[in-house]
């Protein structure tokens, strides 16, 4: 096989692999959109569920999902950024650093149902009942590896010459990190945070034991209240309410999909925008 034929075969395999990856995504979006778009309306998105979730809208699951996501990112983002800064800028190679990185990798590989059981045995036990706070702490642990890895990669991508120039001008290590490294790494950190948010928004198992309510006729009033959430609501109306109208099921699924896709799209746009502004 000559070089041109080998190159053609290799490119064909790469295109085929890309096609195999893209087609399922397109099919899922088309499948849900074709069945759920008729249910999407202003009333469906702004009304509370009624009559045992057989009528009404999905306002409370949407608000509950946003509450969980907001509280989760407020917990996970500072911890993830501080951990990434330590690992990237301060930690010295050694046994402790290797153990920390191994722990992060293992944390990323833990099944989500295990996070739910952990949250039930720790956070729910400490708070004494299921609530938004317990669910958010559990989800924060779930997305923490994503944020740490993304933030550390963003920090290490900043050229070392930036650090050396700052230190040569008399800046301290922390001043260099805060005023030089972090501003240049911010796009990657924001991207990782948004990807973590999108994963948290679509999880069912971690909130099933820690925060999710089967049905609530009102919106949560504090972090110590239980909450309805889109993924758990979809699970309930699909498995526990057999006579629920299909339009509610498909409409809820499409709303959740659009929420997750919009977050991923926002992460991609932010990454592209800041990459164009970078001159290094």
């Amino acid at each position: 096989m000559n070089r041109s034929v080998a190159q053609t075969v290799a490119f064909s395999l790469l295109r085929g692999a890309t096609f195999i990856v893209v087609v399922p995504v397109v099919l899922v979006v088309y499948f849900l959109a074709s069945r759920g778009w008729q249910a999407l309306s202003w009333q469906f998105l702004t009304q509370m569920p009624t009559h045992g979730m057989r009528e009404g809208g999905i306002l409370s699951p949407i608000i509950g999902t946003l509450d969980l996501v907001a509280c989760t990112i407020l917990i996970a983002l500072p911890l993830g950024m501080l951990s990434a800064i330590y690992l990237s800028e301060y930690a010295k190679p050694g046994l402790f650093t290797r153990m920390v990185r191994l722990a992060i990798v293992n944390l990323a590989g833990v099944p989500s149902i295990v996070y739910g059981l952990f949250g039930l045995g720790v956070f729910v036990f400490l708070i004494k009942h299921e609530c938004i706070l317990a669910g958010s702490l559990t989800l924060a642990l779930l997305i923490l590896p994503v944020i740490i890895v993304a933030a550390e990669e963003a920090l290490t991508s900043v050229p070392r010459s930036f650090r050396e120039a700052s230190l040569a001008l008399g800046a301290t290590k922390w001043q260099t990190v805060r005023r030089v490294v972090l501003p240049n790494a911010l796009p990657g950190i924001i991207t990782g945070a948004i990807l973590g948010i999108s994963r948290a928004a679509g999880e069912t198992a971690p909130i099933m034991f820690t925060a999710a309510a089967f049905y609530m006729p009102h919106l949560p009033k504090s972090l110590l209240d239980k909450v309805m959430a889109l993924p758990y609501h979809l699970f309930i109306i699909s498995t526990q309410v057999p006579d629920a109208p299909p339009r509610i099921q498909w409409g809820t699924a499409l709303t959740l999909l659009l929420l997750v896709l919009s977050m991923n799209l926002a992460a991609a746009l932010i990454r592209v925008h800041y990459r164009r502004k970078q001159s290094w």
Side-chain angles (χ1 to χ4, degrees):
M1 184 180 296
N2 57 42
R3 293 182 178 180
S4 61
V5 174
Q7 178 173 287
T8 302
V9 172
F11 285 169
S12 299
L13 291 175
L14 293 175
R15 292 191 189 98
T18 303
F19 182 78
I20 292 173
V21 172
V22 172
V23 167
V25 177
V26 175
L27 290 177
V28 168
V29 174
Y30 172 77
F31 185 77
L32 292 180
S34 62
R35 288 164 172 77
W37 71 271
Q38 295 180 344
L40 294 185
S41 64
W42 180 251
Q43 290 76 16
F44 181 70
L45 298 175
T46 58
Q47 289 181 353
M48 301 287 289
T50 57
H51 296 87
M53 296 180 289
R54 296 174 178 85
E55 297 180 10
I58 55 172
L59 176 62
S60 53
I62 292 176
I63 297 299
T65 301
L66 296 178
D67 288 341
L68 283 170
V69 166
C71 191
T72 297
I73 201 61
L74 288 176
I75 297 170
L77 184 57
L79 290 175
M81 286 185 59
L82 292 175
S83 301
I85 291 172
Y86 172 77
L87 292 172
S88 174
E89 305 296 328
Y90 291 97
K92 297 180 180 180
L95 178 61
F96 177 74
T97 303
R98 291 198 298 270
M99 293 296 294
V100 171
R101 296 185 186 279
L102 180 61
I104 294 172
V105 172
N106 289 332
L107 196 63
V110 174
S112 58
I113 188 68
V114 177
Y115 280 101
L117 292 173
F118 176 82
L120 175 64
V122 177
F123 301 130
V124 174
F125 176 78
L126 293 176
I127 301 174
K128 306 300 184 184
H129 61 279
E130 300 171 9
C131 61
I132 297 176
L133 182 57
S136 298
L137 289 170
T138 305
L139 289 174
L141 289 178
L142 178 70
I143 69 172
L144 200 55
V146 177
I147 295 178
I148 293 175
V149 172
E152 187 178 0
E153 289 182 356
L155 291 168
T156 54
S157 68
V158 178
R160 185 159 296 278
S161 59
F162 286 20
R163 299 172 175 82
E164 294 172 351
S166 177
L167 294 172
L169 292 173
T172 63
K173 180 74 171 179
W174 173 242
Q175 288 174 330
T176 299
V177 171
R178 183 166 57 91
R179 298 182 180 179
V180 177
V181 179
L182 276 179
N184 286 285
L186 192 59
I189 296 174
I190 294 175
T191 300
I194 296 176
L195 292 176
I197 290 174
S198 64
R199 182 182 179 187
E203 287 290 344
T204 303
I207 63 173
M208 184 184 300
F209 304 109
T210 58
F214 184 91
Y215 172 71
M216 287 180 61
H218 56 81
L219 297 177
K221 298 179 181 179
S222 72
L223 295 180
L224 299 180
D225 289 341
K226 296 182 69 173
V227 67
M228 295 184 71
L230 281 172
Y232 187 67
H233 181 67
L234 178 60
F235 168 75
I236 291 299
I237 61 176
S238 300
T239 61
Q240 307 299 318
V241 187
D243 54 342
R247 67 174 187 85
I248 295 181
Q249 299 173 353
W250 294 114
T252 303
L254 181 58
T255 302
L256 179 59
L257 178 66
L258 292 176
L259 178 64
V260 174
L261 289 180
S262 64
M263 292 180 182
N264 291 331
L265 178 61
L269 293 177
I270 290 173
R271 183 169 59 251
V272 171
H273 173 72
Y274 280 101
R275 279 183 177 176
R276 289 178 177 175
K277 298 177 65 175
Q278 289 177 344
S279 58
W280 45 272

